[in-house]
Amino acid sequence: MRLRFLLSFVLIAVLAACGDGTASRGGGGGAAANRIRLAYQAFPSGDLIVKNKRWLEEALPGYQIQWTKFDSGASINTAFVAGSVDIAAIGSSPVARGLSAPLNIPYQVAFVLDVAGDNEALVVRNDSGVSAIEGLRGKKVATSFASTSHYSLLAALGQAGVRESELTIVDLEPQDILASWTRGDIDAAYTWLPTLKELKKNGKVLIASRELATAGKPTLDLGVVSTAFLKAHPEAVDAWRKAEARALQLIADNRAEAAAAVATELNLTKEDAEDQLTQGVFLKPADLASPEWLGTPERPGALAENLVSAAQFLKDLQKIEAVPDLATVRNAIYNKGLPDVLTP
């Protein structure tokens, strides 16, 4: 644990000192003029469509747009702490951590990219002899710590009555999960697409996030914005929200075109990309302002309650120090201008 803390501290220091555009040059948290530093992850989403089609560059010609790939929400939180990211695609579990002590990251949740469905799942090797979650006792299971998959793994174990101490859980990023799986070093893994698809070639799904959502443990992929950047560049944030809404509409209206963009970004065939898009749950732009999600300034949505619930779950498992109160989390939901601001 001490080693992980020291490594995280060193990483933060390196990012903060970096002067090549990866970290902030003054401006306290990414409010530098005419630049947007976006963190994205390699999972099928509207975010990849926005990147591929250069819609932000088109909407904001006066801004330098920088896209940086991250492997997990934990590393994105570290980048926010270092002040080296302005906008990010990140899971709801790491957001719940980020809004909680000791991180208390000053960012705002401004978009729902997708709701986890069959695109995140717990997979066990075919040769493991395991056919149910209860059979994982004594096994080695990999996931990316502080991610939505980690949250879902713990929820699945709890639902099955399996204590965390009864198995070995290892912290690996998706590409390392695949390498360990190939070598036979792990028995199971909870992860997301596209790595998930590779594991399923010689493994079977024990439970998917869609099923856990039905049982009251939903996970989401969210768009968050540095509070400093939001205050300095509200018009740029509006342009980003419009671009993400355009991507959601494209997924709904023209799945083939959406899949082509995702395929290019993830180096997949169009068929694979389209299949992977069908495994997530994508909202319509108008849904974002509904009582279930972001809501409006006059009628806040239930997303804040979802994040508080996730934080409480993590606190019960001693993964965070304290749970933020509902008012604090509601203040971290950015729904100004919804739904009209999403209209092209």
Side-chain angles (χ1 to χ4, degrees):
M1 181 64 71
R2 178 175 295 180
L3 177 59
R4 288 178 63 86
F5 174 81
L6 289 173
L7 288 174
S8 297
F9 181 82
V10 170
L11 176 58
I12 289 172
V14 170
L15 286 171
C18 188
D20 63 354
T22 300
S24 175
R25 298 180 190 174
N34 299 328
R35 177 183 62 181
I36 308 178
R37 299 160 303 170
L38 299 107
Y40 74 97
Q41 297 191 61
F43 55 76
S45 69
D47 202 45
L48 292 184
I49 296 171
V50 172
K51 177 179 181 293
N52 177 262
K53 291 185 172 293
R54 298 180 61 81
W55 284 342
L56 267 186
E57 289 84 349
E58 173 187 300
L60 297 168
Y63 280 77
Q64 179 186 2
I65 309 298
Q66 301 174 351
W67 292 87
T68 302
K69 180 178 175 291
F70 285 77
D71 291 322
S72 70
S75 58
I76 289 174
N77 273 342
T78 299
F80 270 113
V81 170
S84 60
V85 170
D86 301 312
I87 298 176
I90 181 172
S92 54
S93 181
V95 169
R97 283 176 179 258
L99 294 175
S100 303
L103 293 178
N104 297 315
I105 298 173
Y107 53 36
Q108 302 276 298
V109 180
F111 211 85
V112 178
L113 298 171
D114 66 78
V115 181
D118 299 319
N119 52 347
E120 288 192 10
L122 174 59
V123 184
V124 65
R125 300 178 65 89
N126 287 335
D127 59 4
S128 66
V130 176
S131 58
I133 296 173
E134 292 82 356
L136 292 175
R137 291 184 173 93
K139 301 295 185 179
K140 182 180 288 187
V141 182
T143 194
S144 303
F145 281 13
S147 69
T148 51
S149 286
H150 188 199
Y151 173 89
S152 296
L153 171 61
L154 298 176
L157 293 174
Q159 183 176 287
V162 179
R163 295 191 302 274
E164 189 178 351
S165 60
E166 293 183 285
L167 63 158
T168 301
I169 301 177
V170 294
D171 179 15
L172 296 174
E173 301 292 4
Q175 70 273 17
D176 298 319
I177 287 176
L178 181 57
S180 294
W181 181 277
T182 302
R183 293 192 301 267
D185 294 343
I186 55 176
D187 302 296
Y190 208 125
T191 191
W192 55 84
L193 292 171
T195 299
L196 175 61
K197 182 178 180 180
E198 296 302 311
L199 305 191
K200 288 165 68 175
K201 289 179 179 178
N202 62 338
K204 55 190 173 186
V205 173
L206 296 182
I207 193 169
S209 294
R210 186 188 301 272
E211 187 176 341
L212 288 168
T214 303
K217 296 293 182 185
T219 51
L220 320 165
D221 288 314
L222 303 172
V224 300
V225 184
S226 157
T227 301
F229 183 85
L230 177 58
K231 289 179 178 179
H233 303 277
E235 77 294 336
V237 174
D238 285 351
W240 166 74
R241 290 194 290 175
K242 280 185 172 67
E244 293 290 353
R246 184 180 176 186
L248 286 182
Q249 197 61 54
L250 184 66
I251 293 171
D253 294 343
N254 192 335
R255 186 63 60 89
E257 183 181 346
V262 170
T264 299
E265 292 298 320
L266 296 181
N267 195 28
L268 302 172
T269 66
K270 292 180 181 179
E271 293 74 19
D272 280 347
E274 190 162 358
D275 175 64
Q276 292 188 22
L277 281 174
T278 65
Q279 297 182 53
V281 179
F282 297 94
L283 306 179
K284 297 289 184 63
D287 295 335
L288 294 172
S290 72
E292 186 176 0
W293 303 112
L294 295 173
T296 65
E298 298 76 22
R299 296 185 62 190
L303 180 57
E305 284 89 340
N306 175 290
L307 292 171
V308 170
S309 176
Q312 184 62 59
F313 180 80
L314 294 170
K315 173 65 168 58
D316 292 344
L317 293 169
Q318 299 181 332
K319 303 300 180 183
I320 59 175
E321 292 180 2
V323 178
D325 60 53
L326 182 58
T328 297
V329 179
R330 278 184 174 160
N331 286 336
I333 303 294
Y334 185 68
N335 51 22
K336 184 179 180 180
L338 292 181
D340 295 342
V341 72
L342 302 180
T343 304

